[in-house]
mmCIF file of all heavy atoms in Angstrom:
data_model
loop_
_atom_site.group_PDB
_atom_site.id
_atom_site.type_symbol
_atom_site.label_atom_id
_atom_site.label_comp_id
_atom_site.label_asym_id
_atom_site.label_seq_id
_atom_site.Cartn_x
_atom_site.Cartn_y
_atom_site.Cartn_z
ATOM 1 N N ILE A 1484 25.110 68.443 -121.404
ATOM 2 C CA ILE A 1484 24.144 69.291 -120.688
ATOM 3 C C ILE A 1484 24.324 69.113 -119.186
ATOM 4 O O ILE A 1484 24.397 70.083 -118.422
ATOM 5 C CB ILE A 1484 22.703 68.944 -121.108
ATOM 6 C CG1 ILE A 1484 22.450 69.341 -122.562
ATOM 7 C CG2 ILE A 1484 21.688 69.630 -120.182
ATOM 8 C CD1 ILE A 1484 21.120 68.836 -123.115
ATOM 9 N N GLN A 1485 24.407 67.853 -118.763
ATOM 10 C CA GLN A 1485 24.572 67.577 -117.335
ATOM 11 C C GLN A 1485 25.904 68.083 -116.812
ATOM 12 O O GLN A 1485 25.997 68.649 -115.712
ATOM 13 C CB GLN A 1485 24.454 66.081 -117.080
ATOM 14 C CG GLN A 1485 23.110 65.478 -117.454
ATOM 15 C CD GLN A 1485 23.037 64.017 -117.065
ATOM 16 O OE1 GLN A 1485 23.143 63.662 -115.893
ATOM 17 N NE2 GLN A 1485 22.870 63.154 -118.056
ATOM 18 N N ALA A 1486 26.974 67.884 -117.598
ATOM 19 C CA ALA A 1486 28.307 68.310 -117.157
ATOM 20 C C ALA A 1486 28.386 69.831 -117.056
ATOM 21 O O ALA A 1486 28.987 70.374 -116.115
ATOM 22 C CB ALA A 1486 29.373 67.785 -118.119
ATOM 23 N N ALA A 1487 27.773 70.535 -118.014
ATOM 24 C CA ALA A 1487 27.773 71.998 -117.967
ATOM 25 C C ALA A 1487 26.969 72.504 -116.773
ATOM 26 O O ALA A 1487 27.358 73.477 -116.107
ATOM 27 C CB ALA A 1487 27.206 72.561 -119.269
ATOM 28 N N ARG A 1488 25.855 71.841 -116.490
ATOM 29 C CA ARG A 1488 25.059 72.206 -115.312
ATOM 30 C C ARG A 1488 25.839 71.956 -114.030
ATOM 31 O O ARG A 1488 25.761 72.739 -113.081
ATOM 32 C CB ARG A 1488 23.759 71.395 -115.304
ATOM 33 C CG ARG A 1488 22.739 71.815 -116.346
ATOM 34 C CD ARG A 1488 22.041 73.073 -115.935
ATOM 35 N NE ARG A 1488 21.356 72.908 -114.662
ATOM 36 C CZ ARG A 1488 20.125 73.331 -114.417
ATOM 37 N NH1 ARG A 1488 19.446 73.927 -115.382
ATOM 38 N NH2 ARG A 1488 19.578 73.177 -113.243
ATOM 39 N N ALA A 1489 26.604 70.863 -114.004
ATOM 40 C CA ALA A 1489 27.417 70.572 -112.817
ATOM 41 C C ALA A 1489 28.457 71.653 -112.559
ATOM 42 O O ALA A 1489 28.882 71.858 -111.418
ATOM 43 C CB ALA A 1489 28.097 69.211 -112.967
ATOM 44 N N CYS A 1490 28.868 72.362 -113.628
ATOM 45 C CA CYS A 1490 29.815 73.474 -113.491
ATOM 46 C C CYS A 1490 29.115 74.787 -113.147
ATOM 47 O O CYS A 1490 29.779 75.807 -112.933
ATOM 48 C CB CYS A 1490 30.605 73.662 -114.775
ATOM 49 S SG CYS A 1490 31.727 72.316 -115.198
ATOM 50 N N GLY A 1491 27.798 74.779 -113.143
ATOM 51 C CA GLY A 1491 27.036 75.984 -112.837
ATOM 52 C C GLY A 1491 26.580 76.764 -114.040
ATOM 53 O O GLY A 1491 26.085 77.898 -113.906
ATOM 54 N N GLY A 1492 26.716 76.190 -115.241
ATOM 55 C CA GLY A 1492 26.346 76.885 -116.459
ATOM 56 C C GLY A 1492 24.847 76.942 -116.685
ATOM 57 O O GLY A 1492 24.092 76.085 -116.220
ATOM 58 N N HIS A 1493 24.409 77.986 -117.413
ATOM 59 C CA HIS A 1493 23.027 78.131 -117.884
ATOM 60 C C HIS A 1493 23.011 77.589 -119.309
ATOM 61 O O HIS A 1493 23.612 78.181 -120.211
ATOM 62 C CB HIS A 1493 22.618 79.602 -117.840
ATOM 63 C CG HIS A 1493 21.229 79.868 -118.314
ATOM 64 N ND1 HIS A 1493 20.120 79.825 -117.491
ATOM 65 C CD2 HIS A 1493 20.750 80.188 -119.543
ATOM 66 C CE1 HIS A 1493 19.042 80.116 -118.181
ATOM 67 N NE2 HIS A 1493 19.384 80.332 -119.428
ATOM 68 N N VAL A 1494 22.348 76.454 -119.535
ATOM 69 C CA VAL A 1494 22.531 75.681 -120.763
ATOM 70 C C VAL A 1494 21.463 75.975 -121.801
ATOM 71 O O VAL A 1494 20.261 75.876 -121.529
ATOM 72 C CB VAL A 1494 22.547 74.170 -120.457
ATOM 73 C CG1 VAL A 1494 22.704 73.375 -121.751
ATOM 74 C CG2 VAL A 1494 23.693 73.841 -119.503
ATOM 75 N N ILE A 1495 21.939 76.325 -123.004
ATOM 76 C CA ILE A 1495 21.082 76.490 -124.177
ATOM 77 C C ILE A 1495 21.378 75.315 -125.099
ATOM 78 O O ILE A 1495 22.503 75.171 -125.582
ATOM 79 C CB ILE A 1495 21.372 77.817 -124.899
ATOM 80 C CG1 ILE A 1495 21.179 79.001 -123.954
ATOM 81 C CG2 ILE A 1495 20.492 77.955 -126.140
ATOM 82 C CD1 ILE A 1495 21.665 80.323 -124.522
ATOM 83 N N ALA A 1496 20.389 74.467 -125.334
ATOM 84 C CA ALA A 1496 20.583 73.245 -126.119
ATOM 85 C C ALA A 1496 20.050 73.441 -127.527
ATOM 86 O O ALA A 1496 18.851 73.680 -127.718
ATOM 87 C CB ALA A 1496 19.882 72.072 -125.445
ATOM 88 N N ALA A 1497 20.942 73.350 -128.519
ATOM 89 C CA ALA A 1497 20.545 73.425 -129.925
ATOM 90 C C ALA A 1497 20.465 72.015 -130.483
ATOM 91 O O ALA A 1497 21.466 71.292 -130.505
ATOM 92 C CB ALA A 1497 21.549 74.256 -130.721
ATOM 93 N N ILE A 1498 19.281 71.619 -130.908
ATOM 94 C CA ILE A 1498 19.071 70.283 -131.450
ATOM 95 C C ILE A 1498 18.541 70.397 -132.868
ATOM 96 O O ILE A 1498 17.936 71.408 -133.232
ATOM 97 C CB ILE A 1498 18.092 69.459 -130.584
ATOM 98 C CG1 ILE A 1498 16.728 70.153 -130.516
ATOM 99 C CG2 ILE A 1498 18.662 69.240 -129.182
ATOM 100 C CD1 ILE A 1498 15.665 69.373 -129.787
ATOM 101 N N ARG A 1499 18.772 69.394 -133.673
ATOM 102 C CA ARG A 1499 18.264 69.435 -135.041
ATOM 103 C C ARG A 1499 16.815 68.978 -135.093
ATOM 104 O O ARG A 1499 15.980 69.599 -135.733
ATOM 105 C CB ARG A 1499 19.132 68.557 -135.947
ATOM 106 C CG ARG A 1499 18.726 68.620 -137.412
ATOM 107 C CD ARG A 1499 19.737 67.928 -138.286
ATOM 108 N NE ARG A 1499 19.877 66.519 -137.925
ATOM 109 C CZ ARG A 1499 20.728 65.688 -138.513
ATOM 110 N NH1 ARG A 1499 21.531 66.126 -139.464
ATOM 111 N NH2 ARG A 1499 20.801 64.422 -138.134
ATOM 112 N N SER A 1500 16.520 67.874 -134.411
ATOM 113 C CA SER A 1500 15.181 67.303 -134.456
ATOM 114 C C SER A 1500 14.518 67.419 -133.090
ATOM 115 O O SER A 1500 15.152 67.185 -132.055
ATOM 116 C CB SER A 1500 15.242 65.833 -134.869
ATOM 117 O OG SER A 1500 14.008 65.180 -134.656
ATOM 118 N N ASN A 1501 13.232 67.769 -133.083
ATOM 119 C CA ASN A 1501 12.496 67.850 -131.822
ATOM 120 C C ASN A 1501 12.296 66.482 -131.179
ATOM 121 O O ASN A 1501 11.778 66.396 -130.059
ATOM 122 C CB ASN A 1501 11.145 68.531 -132.050
ATOM 123 C CG ASN A 1501 11.289 70.044 -132.193
ATOM 124 O OD1 ASN A 1501 12.015 70.666 -131.424
ATOM 125 N ND2 ASN A 1501 10.612 70.624 -133.169
ATOM 126 N N ARG A 1502 12.705 65.421 -131.867
ATOM 127 C CA ARG A 1502 12.602 64.066 -131.306
ATOM 128 C C ARG A 1502 13.357 63.951 -129.985
ATOM 129 O O ARG A 1502 12.960 63.180 -129.098
ATOM 130 C CB ARG A 1502 13.168 63.060 -132.314
ATOM 131 C CG ARG A 1502 13.144 61.614 -131.868
ATOM 132 C CD ARG A 1502 13.740 60.711 -132.935
ATOM 133 N NE ARG A 1502 15.140 60.985 -133.158
ATOM 134 C CZ ARG A 1502 16.132 60.414 -132.453
ATOM 135 N NH1 ARG A 1502 15.860 59.551 -131.495
ATOM 136 N NH2 ARG A 1502 17.382 60.696 -132.732
ATOM 137 N N THR A 1503 14.438 64.710 -129.840
ATOM 138 C CA THR A 1503 15.249 64.623 -128.623
ATOM 139 C C THR A 1503 15.027 65.789 -127.674
ATOM 140 O O THR A 1503 15.754 65.943 -126.700
ATOM 141 C CB THR A 1503 16.747 64.549 -128.986
ATOM 142 O OG1 THR A 1503 17.088 65.696 -129.788
ATOM 143 C CG2 THR A 1503 17.052 63.277 -129.761
ATOM 144 N N ALA A 1504 14.015 66.621 -127.944
ATOM 145 C CA ALA A 1504 13.780 67.800 -127.110
ATOM 146 C C ALA A 1504 13.491 67.432 -125.662
ATOM 147 O O ALA A 1504 14.027 68.044 -124.728
ATOM 148 C CB ALA A 1504 12.639 68.635 -127.681
ATOM 149 N N SER A 1505 12.630 66.432 -125.465
ATOM 150 C CA SER A 1505 12.287 66.058 -124.094
ATOM 151 C C SER A 1505 13.490 65.492 -123.357
ATOM 152 O O SER A 1505 13.694 65.763 -122.167
ATOM 153 C CB SER A 1505 11.139 65.043 -124.100
ATOM 154 O OG SER A 1505 11.503 63.857 -124.790
ATOM 155 N N ALA A 1506 14.336 64.731 -124.071
ATOM 156 C CA ALA A 1506 15.538 64.184 -123.439
ATOM 157 C C ALA A 1506 16.486 65.302 -123.030
ATOM 158 O O ALA A 1506 17.112 65.236 -121.959
ATOM 159 C CB ALA A 1506 16.235 63.210 -124.390
ATOM 160 N N ALA A 1507 16.605 66.346 -123.866
ATOM 161 C CA ALA A 1507 17.475 67.476 -123.531
ATOM 162 C C ALA A 1507 16.959 68.213 -122.301
ATOM 163 O O ALA A 1507 17.733 68.624 -121.429
ATOM 164 C CB ALA A 1507 17.587 68.421 -124.724
ATOM 165 N N ARG A 1508 15.648 68.370 -122.217
ATOM 166 C CA ARG A 1508 15.071 69.033 -121.033
ATOM 167 C C ARG A 1508 15.270 68.184 -119.787
ATOM 168 O O ARG A 1508 15.605 68.705 -118.719
ATOM 169 C CB ARG A 1508 13.586 69.317 -121.260
ATOM 170 C CG ARG A 1508 13.322 70.361 -122.348
ATOM 171 C CD ARG A 1508 11.862 70.768 -122.375
ATOM 172 N NE ARG A 1508 11.609 71.704 -123.471
ATOM 173 C CZ ARG A 1508 11.195 71.347 -124.683
ATOM 174 N NH1 ARG A 1508 10.949 70.058 -124.946
ATOM 175 N NH2 ARG A 1508 10.995 72.249 -125.608
ATOM 176 N N GLU A 1509 15.057 66.874 -119.924
ATOM 177 C CA GLU A 1509 15.245 65.983 -118.776
ATOM 178 C C GLU A 1509 16.695 65.976 -118.313
ATOM 179 O O GLU A 1509 16.979 65.800 -117.123
ATOM 180 C CB GLU A 1509 14.799 64.564 -119.140
ATOM 181 C CG GLU A 1509 13.292 64.412 -119.296
ATOM 182 C CD GLU A 1509 12.903 63.034 -119.809
ATOM 183 O OE1 GLU A 1509 13.784 62.154 -119.868
ATOM 184 O OE2 GLU A 1509 11.728 62.848 -120.162
ATOM 185 N N ALA A 1510 17.631 66.170 -119.255
ATOM 186 C CA ALA A 1510 19.053 66.210 -118.886
ATOM 187 C C ALA A 1510 19.416 67.489 -118.150
ATOM 188 O O ALA A 1510 20.481 67.569 -117.535
ATOM 189 C CB ALA A 1510 19.919 66.064 -120.137
ATOM 190 N N GLY A 1511 18.533 68.502 -118.221
ATOM 191 C CA GLY A 1511 18.756 69.717 -117.449
ATOM 192 C C GLY A 1511 18.936 70.986 -118.249
ATOM 193 O O GLY A 1511 19.286 72.030 -117.674
ATOM 194 N N ALA A 1512 18.716 70.952 -119.566
ATOM 195 C CA ALA A 1512 18.862 72.161 -120.369
ATOM 196 C C ALA A 1512 17.847 73.215 -119.931
ATOM 197 O O ALA A 1512 16.679 72.912 -119.692
ATOM 198 C CB ALA A 1512 18.681 71.839 -121.851
ATOM 199 N N ASP A 1513 18.299 74.456 -119.821
ATOM 200 C CA ASP A 1513 17.408 75.551 -119.442
ATOM 201 C C ASP A 1513 16.542 75.972 -120.620
ATOM 202 O O ASP A 1513 15.372 76.341 -120.440
ATOM 203 C CB ASP A 1513 18.243 76.738 -118.950
ATOM 204 C CG ASP A 1513 19.021 76.411 -117.690
ATOM 205 O OD1 ASP A 1513 18.404 76.377 -116.613
ATOM 206 O OD2 ASP A 1513 20.231 76.158 -117.791
ATOM 207 N N ILE A 1514 17.115 75.951 -121.830
ATOM 208 C CA ILE A 1514 16.395 76.328 -123.045
ATOM 209 C C ILE A 1514 16.736 75.316 -124.130
ATOM 210 O O ILE A 1514 17.904 74.930 -124.281
ATOM 211 C CB ILE A 1514 16.775 77.751 -123.515
ATOM 212 C CG1 ILE A 1514 16.411 78.782 -122.441
ATOM 213 C CG2 ILE A 1514 16.110 78.088 -124.844
ATOM 214 C CD1 ILE A 1514 16.973 80.156 -122.717
ATOM 215 N N VAL A 1515 15.747 74.879 -124.883
ATOM 216 C CA VAL A 1515 15.940 73.940 -125.984
ATOM 217 C C VAL A 1515 15.310 74.529 -127.228
ATOM 218 O O VAL A 1515 14.158 75.001 -127.177
ATOM 219 C CB VAL A 1515 15.308 72.564 -125.675
ATOM 220 C CG1 VAL A 1515 15.541 71.603 -126.836
ATOM 221 C CG2 VAL A 1515 15.877 71.980 -124.384
ATOM 222 N N PHE A 1516 16.041 74.547 -128.351
ATOM 223 C CA PHE A 1516 15.442 74.982 -129.611
ATOM 224 C C PHE A 1516 15.973 74.142 -130.761
ATOM 225 O O PHE A 1516 17.070 73.581 -130.686
ATOM 226 C CB PHE A 1516 15.688 76.477 -129.871
ATOM 227 C CG PHE A 1516 17.094 76.830 -130.263
ATOM 228 C CD1 PHE A 1516 17.465 76.907 -131.607
ATOM 229 C CD2 PHE A 1516 18.050 77.110 -129.290
ATOM 230 C CE1 PHE A 1516 18.759 77.242 -131.972
ATOM 231 C CE2 PHE A 1516 19.343 77.451 -129.651
ATOM 232 C CZ PHE A 1516 19.701 77.512 -130.999
ATOM 233 N N SER A 1517 15.180 74.057 -131.810
ATOM 234 C CA SER A 1517 15.547 73.285 -132.996
ATOM 235 C C SER A 1517 16.218 74.186 -134.021
ATOM 236 O O SER A 1517 15.697 75.259 -134.348
ATOM 237 C CB SER A 1517 14.309 72.633 -133.613
ATOM 238 O OG SER A 1517 14.604 72.106 -134.898
ATOM 239 N N THR A 1518 17.350 73.745 -134.535
ATOM 240 C CA THR A 1518 18.050 74.519 -135.559
ATOM 241 C C THR A 1518 17.313 74.479 -136.889
ATOM 242 O O THR A 1518 17.634 75.264 -137.790
ATOM 243 C CB THR A 1518 19.483 73.998 -135.738
ATOM 244 O OG1 THR A 1518 19.438 72.600 -136.084
ATOM 245 C CG2 THR A 1518 20.282 74.160 -134.458
ATOM 246 N N ASN A 1519 16.356 73.593 -137.023
ATOM 247 C CA ASN A 1519 15.511 73.585 -138.221
ATOM 248 C C ASN A 1519 14.473 74.703 -138.183
ATOM 249 O O ASN A 1519 13.890 75.057 -139.213
ATOM 250 C CB ASN A 1519 14.787 72.242 -138.371
ATOM 251 C CG ASN A 1519 15.726 71.123 -138.784
ATOM 252 O OD1 ASN A 1519 16.731 71.364 -139.459
ATOM 253 N ND2 ASN A 1519 15.423 69.910 -138.361
ATOM 254 N N GLU A 1520 14.239 75.234 -136.993
ATOM 255 C CA GLU A 1520 13.212 76.262 -136.826
ATOM 256 C C GLU A 1520 13.797 77.644 -136.566
ATOM 257 O O GLU A 1520 13.174 78.654 -136.905
ATOM 258 C CB GLU A 1520 12.283 75.875 -135.666
ATOM 259 C CG GLU A 1520 11.547 74.557 -135.896
ATOM 260 C CD GLU A 1520 10.772 74.097 -134.679
ATOM 261 O OE1 GLU A 1520 10.852 74.781 -133.619
ATOM 262 O OE2 GLU A 1520 10.099 73.048 -134.766
ATOM 263 N N ARG A 1521 14.994 77.705 -135.968
ATOM 264 C CA ARG A 1521 15.611 78.991 -135.640
ATOM 265 C C ARG A 1521 17.102 78.924 -135.940
ATOM 266 O O ARG A 1521 17.777 77.991 -135.497
ATOM 267 C CB ARG A 1521 15.406 79.353 -134.175
ATOM 268 C CG ARG A 1521 13.971 79.442 -133.727
ATOM 269 C CD ARG A 1521 13.877 79.745 -132.235
ATOM 270 N NE ARG A 1521 14.312 81.099 -131.921
ATOM 271 C CZ ARG A 1521 14.422 81.569 -130.669
ATOM 272 N NH1 ARG A 1521 14.163 80.773 -129.638
ATOM 273 N NH2 ARG A 1521 14.801 82.807 -130.448
ATOM 274 N N PRO A 1522 17.665 79.892 -136.648
ATOM 275 C CA PRO A 1522 19.122 79.923 -136.855
ATOM 276 C C PRO A 1522 19.846 80.066 -135.516
ATOM 277 O O PRO A 1522 19.390 80.786 -134.620
ATOM 278 C CB PRO A 1522 19.325 81.158 -137.737
ATOM 279 C CG PRO A 1522 17.991 81.437 -138.351
ATOM 280 C CD PRO A 1522 16.979 80.984 -137.347
ATOM 281 N N ILE A 1523 20.967 79.390 -135.386
ATOM 282 C CA ILE A 1523 21.682 79.354 -134.110
ATOM 283 C C ILE A 1523 22.081 80.751 -133.648
ATOM 284 O O ILE A 1523 21.826 81.144 -132.497
ATOM 285 C CB ILE A 1523 22.920 78.447 -134.227
ATOM 286 C CG1 ILE A 1523 22.492 76.980 -134.320
ATOM 287 C CG2 ILE A 1523 23.855 78.654 -133.030
ATOM 288 C CD1 ILE A 1523 23.645 76.015 -134.542
ATOM 289 N N VAL A 1524 22.731 81.519 -134.507
ATOM 290 C CA VAL A 1524 23.252 82.821 -134.087
ATOM 291 C C VAL A 1524 22.125 83.750 -133.649
ATOM 292 O O VAL A 1524 22.188 84.385 -132.585
ATOM 293 C CB VAL A 1524 24.078 83.461 -135.223
ATOM 294 C CG1 VAL A 1524 24.547 84.857 -134.808
ATOM 295 C CG2 VAL A 1524 25.274 82.583 -135.567
ATOM 296 N N GLU A 1525 21.084 83.802 -134.439
ATOM 297 C CA GLU A 1525 19.941 84.655 -134.104
ATOM 298 C C GLU A 1525 19.319 84.251 -132.777
ATOM 299 O O GLU A 1525 19.031 85.099 -131.905
ATOM 300 C CB GLU A 1525 18.907 84.556 -135.220
ATOM 301 C CG GLU A 1525 17.605 85.297 -134.948
ATOM 302 C CD GLU A 1525 16.577 85.021 -136.032
ATOM 303 O OE1 GLU A 1525 16.906 85.205 -137.222
ATOM 304 O OE2 GLU A 1525 15.453 84.598 -135.678
ATOM 305 N N ALA A 1526 19.096 82.948 -132.583
ATOM 306 C CA ALA A 1526 18.461 82.466 -131.354
ATOM 307 C C ALA A 1526 19.314 82.774 -130.129
ATOM 308 O O ALA A 1526 18.805 83.258 -129.104
ATOM 309 C CB ALA A 1526 18.207 80.968 -131.454
ATOM 310 N N VAL A 1527 20.616 82.501 -130.218
ATOM 311 C CA VAL A 1527 21.480 82.671 -129.047
ATOM 312 C C VAL A 1527 21.612 84.142 -128.662
ATOM 313 O O VAL A 1527 21.556 84.498 -127.476
ATOM 314 C CB VAL A 1527 22.866 82.046 -129.312
ATOM 315 C CG1 VAL A 1527 23.838 82.397 -128.194
ATOM 316 C CG2 VAL A 1527 22.728 80.536 -129.440
ATOM 317 N N HIS A 1528 21.762 85.021 -129.634
ATOM 318 C CA HIS A 1528 21.865 86.452 -129.301
ATOM 319 C C HIS A 1528 20.566 86.974 -128.704
ATOM 320 O O HIS A 1528 20.583 87.791 -127.768
ATOM 321 C CB HIS A 1528 22.278 87.242 -130.538
ATOM 322 C CG HIS A 1528 23.739 87.170 -130.811
ATOM 323 N ND1 HIS A 1528 24.661 88.038 -130.260
ATOM 324 C CD2 HIS A 1528 24.463 86.287 -131.552
ATOM 325 C CE1 HIS A 1528 25.877 87.727 -130.658
ATOM 326 N NE2 HIS A 1528 25.788 86.653 -131.448
ATOM 327 N N GLU A 1529 19.442 86.472 -129.191
ATOM 328 C CA GLU A 1529 18.164 86.874 -128.611
ATOM 329 C C GLU A 1529 18.033 86.375 -127.176
ATOM 330 O O GLU A 1529 17.552 87.103 -126.293
ATOM 331 C CB GLU A 1529 17.026 86.320 -129.461
ATOM 332 C CG GLU A 1529 15.633 86.666 -128.943
ATOM 333 C CD GLU A 1529 14.538 86.047 -129.792
ATOM 334 O OE1 GLU A 1529 14.711 85.963 -131.022
ATOM 335 O OE2 GLU A 1529 13.513 85.634 -129.215
ATOM 336 N N LEU A 1530 18.487 85.170 -126.927
ATOM 337 C CA LEU A 1530 18.347 84.566 -125.599
ATOM 338 C C LEU A 1530 19.335 85.103 -124.578
ATOM 339 O O LEU A 1530 19.156 84.902 -123.375
ATOM 340 C CB LEU A 1530 18.504 83.047 -125.712
ATOM 341 C CG LEU A 1530 17.401 82.304 -126.486
ATOM 342 C CD1 LEU A 1530 17.839 80.883 -126.808
ATOM 343 C CD2 LEU A 1530 16.106 82.293 -125.669
ATOM 344 N N THR A 1531 20.386 85.771 -125.046
ATOM 345 C CA THR A 1531 21.428 86.277 -124.136
ATOM 346 C C THR A 1531 21.492 87.802 -124.122
ATOM 347 O O THR A 1531 22.514 88.368 -123.716
ATOM 348 C CB THR A 1531 22.809 85.713 -124.526
ATOM 349 O OG1 THR A 1531 23.097 86.098 -125.888
ATOM 350 C CG2 THR A 1531 22.844 84.207 -124.399
#
């Protein structure tokens, strides 16, 4: 997440458990979602 942000990327973080959601946000992710709650393909196409 940090390395992609350093390159100027807009980061979408897909995580399995919400246990790490806050860590992903603190690392700089613009959007965080759980794959247990939203399918990856559907979520990413909606967000882009």
Side-chain angles (χ1 to χ4, degrees):
I1484 292 171
Q1485 298 185 61
R1488 288 283 301 225
C1490 293
H1493 179 88
V1494 179
I1495 302 170
I1498 60 175
R1499 184 171 60 182
S1500 168
N1501 283 316
R1502 179 181 64 87
T1503 56
S1505 61
R1508 293 189 183 93
E1509 289 174 9
D1513 296 284
I1514 299 170
V1515 181
F1516 73 93
S1517 168
T1518 57
N1519 288 331
E1520 299 173 357
R1521 302 177 70 185
I1523 289 176
V1524 177
E1525 175 186 307
V1527 171
H1528 280 272
E1529 179 182 324
L1530 293 166
T1531 59

